[in-house]
């Protein structure tokens, strides 16, 4: 998801009619997905009104609007601060950590064809050195190194892959679909309570299993395959190269 802002935010700032700031925010309530039009109308966030529990969303939001020049001058990031079910991230350390956790660099800020105004705001807020345009994943490394230095987070390739898979499952499935998939792979009901688990919880649980296992479970839960035919393999049961230890034969006598 890109860094969201109002279409008029840059114009308001250029004319001195508003102050804006790059922030992150996340829904901390008890639902797996929160649909909230109020955030769009009151906070100046012009993105989709659906928010996944715990996921950080990024925006350049107004912090001060001149009522003499802006009709809805009461909007701003303070509307998010006033909500008990949302948390706002202002400091570079947590913003950098959130970008690393999402395993994602917003294309409209870092990639080829970036928005110059958005890029300037984000780079200034995080105090990032310009390492040039990003064209593919390999070009992200200089920025990721800087984000790790700012946040104090050490590189964890395994965690990055796990987070990337979790985000993929959240985007692909509804809570009901994820529940059906978990039922196929879950061997111990005490590991996750499907009555109370949110979509994010289920997505993270699925990352305990190999991608092939999850895809087979998807075919069984949402397709026509037989759940009894799914071979359950956990990530911890595989070797470093991803192969299944249980399939390894020894030539020793």
């Amino acid at each position: 998801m890109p860094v969201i802002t109002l279409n008029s935010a840059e114009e308001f700032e250029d004319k001195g009619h508003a102050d804006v700031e790059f922030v992150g925010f996340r829904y901390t309530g008890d639902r797996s997905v929160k649909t909230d039009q109020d955030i769009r109308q009151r906070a100046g966030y012009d993105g989709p009104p659906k928010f996944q529990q715990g996921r950080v969303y990024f925006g350049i939001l107004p912090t001060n609007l001149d009522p003499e020049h802006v009709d809805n001058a009461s909007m701003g990031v303070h509307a998010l601060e006033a909500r008990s079910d949302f948390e706002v991230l202002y400091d570079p350390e947590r913003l950098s950590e959130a970008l690393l956790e999402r395993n994602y660099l917003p294309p409209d800020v870092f990639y080829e064809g970036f928005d110059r105004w958005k890029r300037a705001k984000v780079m200034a807020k995080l105090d990032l050195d310009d390492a040039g345009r990003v064209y593919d994943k390999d070009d992200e490394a200089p920025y990721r190194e800087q984000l790790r230095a700012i946040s104090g987070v050490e590189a964890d390739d395994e965690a990055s892959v796990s987070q990337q898979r979790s985000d993929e499952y959240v985007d692909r499935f509804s809570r009901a679909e994820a529940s059906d998939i978990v039922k196929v792979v879950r061997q111990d009901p005490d590991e996750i309570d499907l009555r109370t688990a949110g979509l994010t919880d289920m997505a993270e649980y699925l990352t305990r299993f190999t991608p092939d296992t999850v895809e087979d479970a998807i075919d069984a839960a949402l397709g026509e395959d037989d759940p009894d035919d799914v071979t359950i393999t956990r990530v911890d049961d595989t070797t470093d190269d991803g192969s299944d230890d249980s399939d390894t034969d020894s030539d020793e006598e």
Side-chain angles (χ1 to χ4, degrees), residues 124-142:
K125 179 65 178 284
L126 301 182
D127 195 21
L128 293 173
D129 293 331
D130 193 332
R133 293 177 173 85
V134 173
Y135 296 93
D136 54 44
K137 288 289 184 181
D138 291 340
D139 298 329
E140 292 184 353

Side-chain angles (χ1 to χ4, degrees), residues 137-156:
K137 288 289 184 181
D138 291 340
D139 298 329
E140 292 184 353
Y143 291 113
R144 290 188 178 280
E145 291 175 2
Q146 292 185 65
L147 292 172
R148 284 194 287 268
I150 294 168
S151 64
V153 174
E154 295 183 0
D156 188 339

Side-chain angles (χ1 to χ4, degrees), residues 38-252:
D38 186 62
I39 298 301
R40 298 185 62 182
Q41 297 167 357
R42 299 193 59 206
Y45 180 82
D46 200 24
K50 289 186 177 182
F51 306 99
Q52 300 285 348
Q53 182 190 58
R55 174 178 288 192
V56 176
Y57 296 81
F58 301 100
I60 298 177
L61 305 183
T63 58
N64 181 40
L65 293 165
D66 186 346
E68 294 185 4
H69 297 93
V70 182
D71 291 337
N72 188 12
S74 62
M75 77 165 63
V77 70
H78 57 273
L80 281 168
E81 294 179 2
R83 294 282 296 267
S84 62
D85 55 348
F86 280 87
E87 177 189 18
V88 182
L89 311 180
Y90 287 106
D91 55 289
E93 292 80 10
R94 288 198 298 168
L95 286 168
S96 298
E97 183 177 2
L99 286 167
L100 291 170
E101 286 179 351
R102 286 292 305 273
N103 194 29
Y104 169 81
L105 296 183
D108 52 342
V109 172
F110 294 95
Y111 272 72
E112 170 74 356
F114 59 77
D115 180 296
R116 291 183 179 276
W117 182 73
K118 288 183 180 181
R119 181 179 174 87
K121 289 295 178 188
V122 173
M123 298 283 282
K125 179 65 178 284
L126 301 182
D127 195 21
L128 293 173
D129 293 331
D130 193 332
R133 293 177 173 85
V134 173
Y135 296 93
D136 54 44
K137 288 289 184 181
D138 291 340
D139 298 329
E140 292 184 353
Y143 291 113
R144 290 188 178 280
E145 291 175 2
Q146 292 185 65
L147 292 172
R148 284 194 287 268
I150 294 168
S151 64
V153 174
E154 295 183 0
D156 188 339
D157 294 337
E158 184 176 340
S160 294
V161 171
S162 178
Q163 184 63 47
Q164 191 172 17
R165 286 182 62 199
S166 178
D167 288 345
E168 176 196 344
Y169 297 148
V170 167
D171 290 336
R172 282 176 67 182
F173 307 117
S174 66
R175 183 177 181 275
E177 290 171 334
S179 178
D180 289 340
I181 298 165
V182 168
K183 289 175 184 176
V184 176
V185 299
R186 186 183 63 173
Q187 296 169 300
D188 182 355
D190 291 336
E191 287 188 333
I192 182 169
D193 187 345
L194 296 180
R195 298 171 303 170
T196 59
L199 176 58
T200 303
D201 298 323
M202 296 183 201
E204 291 176 352
Y205 177 77
L206 289 174
T207 65
R208 300 182 188 183
F209 304 88
T210 63
D212 287 345
T213 294
V214 174
E215 292 303 319
D216 289 344
I218 292 167
D219 291 338
L222 308 182
E224 298 180 355
D225 290 358
D226 188 342
D228 292 336
D229 292 338
V230 177
T231 300
I232 309 299
T233 306
R234 292 175 175 265
V235 172
D236 292 342
D237 295 336
T238 60
T239 59
D240 290 341
D241 63 2
S243 60
D244 190 340
D245 282 340
S246 63
D247 293 333
T248 303
D249 295 328
S250 174
D251 292 331
E252 297 179 2

